[in-house]
């Protein structure tokens, strides 16, 4: 898709098959194609065929393929955050945000690789960032700290969520082989060469599971502890987090 400025981006027009073309329909169709055939399916030709329209009609709604990718990324965020309203407990609210992000990427695992690292500069992303930073401000962090810590939080969440989604997008046989490796290959190592792995041998099958929730809890505990120190609840250097 070459770059071109759309003339009538938001006008809804019917396709040859009578379907009313819109940004929402294009994004929905693009997500379906990516889900069925992978990111390489994202082309003007394939989208036009799937929508029953001339491929050039897509330029009325999106400047180029990258513009569409950003809209897809924002749709995933919007769907994940639909109905979410932060509560009084800022830690619980950040936890829910994290779980929603992961669920959103797992719902579209093959699109996650395109979406997780992008800045969409669209409504859903902006609203999510506003809520996340707002939660840290409500915890008592100064503006510069709230912005910096939100970046650390969301980058951690996105990285883990994208990893889980990438694994989910693998063919079933590859996923099963990776799971078996922790039960088979890692159970048959020379203890003299790998003493640490031998010491935790019984626990290694659990390495096949996602570490997402534990990573989020570690991060939330660190944020809560820092918020506690800032408010004077704990002495400097305390590792205790408020319960």
């Amino acid at each position: 898709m070459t770059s071109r400025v759309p003339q009538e981006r938001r006008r809804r027009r019917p396709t040859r098959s009578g379907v009313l073309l819109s940004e929402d329909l294009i994004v929905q169709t693009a997500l379906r194609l990516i889900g069925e055939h992978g990111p390489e399916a994202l082309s003007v030709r394939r989208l036009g065929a799937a929508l029953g329209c001339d491929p050039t009609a897509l330029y009325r709604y999106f400047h180029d393929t990258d513009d569409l990718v950003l809209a897809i990324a924002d749709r995933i965020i919007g769907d994940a955050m639909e109905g979410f309203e932060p509560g009084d407990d800022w830690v619980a609210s950040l936890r829910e945000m994290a779980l929603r992000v992961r669920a959103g990427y797992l719902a579209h695992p093959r699109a996650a690789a395109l979406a997780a690292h992008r800045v969409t500069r669209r409504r859903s992303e902006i609203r999510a960032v506003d809520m996340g930073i707002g939660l840290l401000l409500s915890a008592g962090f100064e503006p510069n700290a709230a912005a910096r810590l939100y970046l650390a939080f969301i980058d951690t969440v996105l990285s883990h969520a994208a990893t889980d989604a990438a694994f989910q997008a693998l063919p079933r046989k590859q996923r099963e082989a990776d799971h078996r490796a922790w039960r088979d290959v890692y159970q048959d190592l020379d203890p003299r060469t790998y003493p640490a792995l031998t010491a935790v041998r019984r626990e290694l099958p659990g390495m096949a599971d996602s570490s997402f929730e534990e990573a989020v809890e570690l991060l939330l505990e660190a944020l809560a502890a820092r918020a506690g120190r800032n408010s004077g609840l704990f002495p400097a250097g305390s590792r205790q987090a408020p319960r």
Side-chain angles (χ1 to χ4, degrees), residues 17-157:
S17 60
V19 175
L20 200 60
L21 202 60
S22 67
E23 289 186 37
D24 185 70
L25 178 61
I26 294 169
V27 170
Q28 178 181 331
T29 304
L31 274 170
R32 178 175 60 80
L33 288 176
I34 294 170
E36 293 174 353
H37 307 291
E40 61 275 10
L42 193 62
S43 71
V44 171
R45 181 182 60 81
R46 297 190 76 160
L47 270 173
L51 290 162
C53 69
D54 189 305
T56 61
L58 302 176
Y59 292 117
R60 300 193 185 102
Y61 302 89
F62 298 99
H63 293 274
D64 50 30
T65 304
D66 197 58
D67 194 28
L68 176 55
V69 167
L70 296 179
I72 290 169
D74 205 63
R75 164 65 72 84
I76 294 174
I77 295 171
D79 288 349
M81 293 296 148
E82 184 177 1
F84 173 66
E85 292 295 339
D88 294 334
D89 185 336
W90 64 272
V91 173
S93 295
L94 283 176
R95 181 183 295 109
E96 183 177 350
M97 283 189 70
L99 293 173
R100 282 171 171 265
V101 168
R102 180 175 182 266
Y105 286 139
L106 289 180
H108 303 285
R110 302 183 83 174
L114 297 174
H117 62 288
R118 301 306 306 273
V119 180
T120 76
R121 51 260 201 195
R122 283 165 164 79
R123 182 175 180 178
S124 294
E125 177 190 76
I126 292 171
R127 180 173 181 268
V129 174
D130 183 72
M131 288 191 297
I133 291 178
L135 286 167
L136 291 170
L137 289 171
S138 75
F141 290 107
E142 294 295 325
N144 65 329
R148 187 178 68 254
L149 292 173
Y150 176 75
L151 178 61
F153 168 78
I154 200 61
D155 277 357
T156 300
V157 168

Side-chain angles (χ1 to χ4, degrees), residues 184-195 197-198 201 204:
D184 299 337
V185 176
Y186 277 81
Q187 297 297 308
D188 193 29
L189 298 174
D190 184 347
R192 293 168 298 181
T193 306
Y194 305 102
L197 288 172
T198 301
R201 178 177 292 167
L204 291 177

